[in-house]
């Protein structure tokens, strides 16, 4: 099966699991009834492009905020300068992001992951995404700004799905994110569960927390709290001197085995793992293969973990970026890795990526 078919199968799996999550939930069933045909429509658009020789990825990552209200240890967004204390004057406006969403929708993108900094600091952009209900917007948030107004907005517009960052239990989460963060995040989860809304948890897996986050106790607890989406991301040491937090090859294998077992047990929970799942679909999905990343000022990067932009969506249409030699060369570089042994491919090939950027 080629990458296009594999990604379509992945998208179908996500929607099927969503169906199981929302079984017996009238509001969720109504959301799926209106959204599933639109997701299929996006898939058909991508099919048509694929047949004409143009590969459109189903996912896009949009980092809409260059500020954050937290200072987590080893934050990749702060390390690569995408997130600062003063923000960036050059940040895209809500209108410019709306144009990005419009183009993504017309190309057949189905999932736009909103990240930051802290995306909930950009209410204007969040509201600009609301009309694009033919796409699903998982919103990666630290959860501290997820107040009653936001909960009402997401309750009304189920294609906007909050994904709360958590590092394990109270000890692990507060150690990386700050005192009291775990309690605040779990109290938000309680409110989301009361409203019977789908929400997710985003877990950065390090050599310190791996045992905690793959334990039955932790996953069972999140399930009890109503969490229907789990995203595991292996720690990438963009911050100097944090290499010890990276998973060893044995730990990567342990995580992958645990994720496979969890998928078998929690069949109404969407469970994704990066880069782990990429190994099953032929490796690195960056540079438009499965997605690409737009930073807060519009720079089009292969991936948040390879933050090098040659083009900006303010000047260059996304279609042109997807067809660029820059992305083609980066895809070829990632594919040149003989085996996907775990960890981030483009991070390992950082020097070659910079050389392609400068060429
Ligand atoms: S919440 Fe996210 S963006 Fe903000 S400091 Fe923590 S890891 Fe970085
Ligand atoms: S650059 Fe790294 S994290 Fe990003 S898609 Fe490739 S392997 Fe995965």
């Amino acid at each position: 099966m080629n990458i296009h078919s594999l990604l379509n199968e992945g998208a179908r799996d996500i929607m099927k699991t969503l169906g199981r999550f929302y079984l017996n939930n009238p509001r969720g069933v109504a959301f799926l009834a209106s959204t599933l045909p639109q997701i299929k429509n996006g898939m058909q658009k991508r099919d048509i492009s694929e047949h004409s020789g143009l590969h459109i990825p189903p996912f896009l990552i949009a980092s809409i905020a260059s500020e954050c209200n937290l200072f987590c240890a080893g934050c990749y967004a702060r390390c690569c300068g995408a997130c600062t204390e003063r923000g960036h004057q050059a940040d895209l406006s809500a209108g410019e992001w709306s144009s990005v969403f419009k183009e993504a929708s017309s190309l057949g993108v189905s999932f736009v992951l909103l990240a930051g900094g802290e995306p909930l600091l950009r209410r204007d952009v969040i509201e600009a995404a609301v009309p694009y209900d033919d796409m699903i917007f998982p919103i990666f948030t630290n959860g501290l700004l997820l107040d009653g107004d936001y909960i009402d907005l997401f309750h009304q517009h189920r294609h906007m799905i909050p994904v709360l960052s958590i590092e394990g239990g109270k000890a692990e989460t507060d150690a990386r994110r700050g005192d009291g963060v775990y309690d605040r995040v779990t109290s938000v989860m309680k409110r989301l569960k009361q409203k019977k809304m789908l929400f997710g948890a985003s877990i950065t897996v390090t050599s310190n927390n791996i045992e905690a986050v793959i334990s039955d106790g932790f996953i069972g607890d999140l399930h009890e709290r109503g969490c229907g989406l789990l995203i595991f991301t292996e720690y990438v040491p963009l911050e100097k001197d944090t290499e010890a937090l990276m998973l060893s090859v044995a730990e990567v294998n342990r995580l992958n085995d645990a994720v496979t077992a969890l998928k078998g047990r929690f069949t109404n929970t969407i469970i994704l793992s990066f880069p782990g799942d990429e190994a099953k679909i032929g490796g690195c999905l960056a540079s438009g293969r499965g997605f690409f990343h737009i930073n807060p000022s519009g720079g089009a990067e292969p991936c948040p973990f390879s933050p090098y932009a040659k083009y900006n969506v303010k000047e260059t249409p996304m279609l042109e970026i997807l067809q660029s030699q820059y992305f083609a060369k980066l895809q070829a570089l990632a594919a040149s890795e003989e085996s996907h042994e775990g960890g981030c491919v483009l991070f390992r090939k950082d020097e070659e990526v910079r050389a392609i950027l400068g060429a």
Side-chain angles (χ1 to χ4, degrees):
M1 212 184 278
N2 64 20
I3 180 69
H4 172 70
S5 306
L6 286 165
L7 287 165
N8 273 351
E9 197 173 273
R12 269 192 291 269
D13 275 354
I14 289 173
M15 297 312 292
K16 268 189 215 156
T17 312
L18 200 49
R20 286 194 287 272
F21 179 88
Y22 270 144
L23 203 71
N24 303 323
N25 176 331
R27 198 150 191 152
V29 170
F31 155 70
L32 285 171
S34 70
T35 303
L36 278 175
Q38 307 205 64
I39 296 294
K40 276 190 191 150
N41 188 30
M43 217 176 263
Q44 278 162 5
K45 284 184 193 171
R46 296 197 303 275
D47 282 342
I48 291 167
S49 295
E50 193 76 17
H51 285 125
S52 68
L54 170 65
H55 177 70
I56 302 293
F59 300 92
L60 176 68
I61 304 178
S63 285
I64 59 173
S66 61
E67 289 181 277
C68 186
N69 50 337
L70 283 185
F71 290 84
C72 306
C75 164
Y76 75 85
R78 286 195 190 279
C79 289
C80 66
C83 176
T84 69
E85 277 166 76
R86 287 175 290 115
H88 291 286
Q89 286 187 338
D91 282 2
L92 296 191
S93 66
E96 286 166 329
W97 278 115
S98 179
S99 301
V100 168
F101 303 148
K102 188 176 180 186
E103 191 182 357
S105 161
S106 75
L107 288 172
V109 169
S110 294
F111 304 90
V112 182
L113 284 59
L114 301 183
E118 170 48 53
L120 298 190
L121 285 167
R122 290 296 306 271
R123 173 112 190 179
D124 55 344
V125 184
I126 299 282
E127 286 179 359
V130 165
Y132 297 97
D133 59 3
D134 56 333
M135 300 187 289
I136 291 183
F137 289 83
I139 306 169
F140 288 74
T141 169
N142 59 44
L144 303 195
L145 303 174
L146 195 41
D147 58 10
D149 277 357
Y150 265 127
I151 290 176
D152 286 348
L153 184 75
F154 302 151
H155 185 46
Q156 292 293 327
H157 303 286
R158 296 283 172 126
H159 65 298
M160 316 284 290
I161 301 171
V163 181
L164 303 158
S165 298
I166 193 161
E167 315 291 333
K170 186 173 171 63
E172 294 88 6
T173 300
D174 287 1
R176 181 168 184 226
R177 303 195 151 251
D179 284 346
V181 170
Y182 177 82
D183 288 343
R184 291 174 70 181
V185 170
T186 48
S187 86
V188 169
M189 288 180 176
K190 193 172 171 188
R191 297 176 73 188
L192 293 167
K193 184 179 180 185
Q194 279 164 354
K195 294 260 190 186
K196 301 190 170 120
M197 291 163 64
L198 172 68
F199 68 88
S202 166
I203 303 141
T204 301
V205 188
T206 69
S207 56
N208 277 352
N209 72 355
I210 179 166
E211 293 307 326
V213 299
I214 62 175
S215 70
D216 282 359
F218 175 65
I219 302 296
D221 180 60
L222 282 178
H223 195 249
E224 278 293 299
R225 289 181 192 276
C227 177
L229 163 65
L230 290 173
I231 301 181
F232 294 96
T233 306
E234 289 171 33
Y235 181 74
V236 177
L238 290 182
E239 183 173 307
K240 274 192 175 167
D241 303 326
T242 60
E243 289 78 5
L245 292 175
M246 253 179 90
L247 301 185
S248 66
V249 173
E251 285 168 332
V252 168
N253 291 335
R254 181 154 166 63
L255 173 64
N256 291 342
D257 290 348
V259 167
T260 303
L262 289 173
K263 284 179 183 174
R265 278 175 52 210
F266 295 95
T267 52
N268 65 349
T269 302
I270 301 164
I271 303 177
L272 304 169
S273 166
F274 296 97
D277 285 346
E278 297 175 61
K280 296 175 200 126
I281 42 182
C284 175
L285 291 178
S287 319
R289 199 163 167 265
F291 67 85
F292 71 97
H293 175 231
I294 302 177
N295 69 27
S297 51
E301 303 171 346
C303 173
F305 297 118
S306 186
Y308 304 109
K310 190 159 190 148
Y311 300 97
N312 191 298
V313 293
K314 281 196 228 178
E315 293 112 29
T316 311
M318 278 164 51
L319 184 58
E320 209 174 296
I321 295 168
L322 285 167
Q323 292 174 302
S324 69
Q325 276 304 302
Y326 180 53
F327 273 11
K329 285 180 186 170
L330 291 173
Q331 285 188 23
L333 176 69
S336 69
E337 178 125 316
E338 279 175 10
S339 66
H340 197 293
E341 60 188 31
C344 174
V345 177
L346 292 187
F347 179 73
R348 272 199 298 280
K349 293 179 179 276
D350 191 60
E351 273 189 29
E352 289 118 297
V353 174
R354 286 170 190 248
I356 292 172
L357 177 73

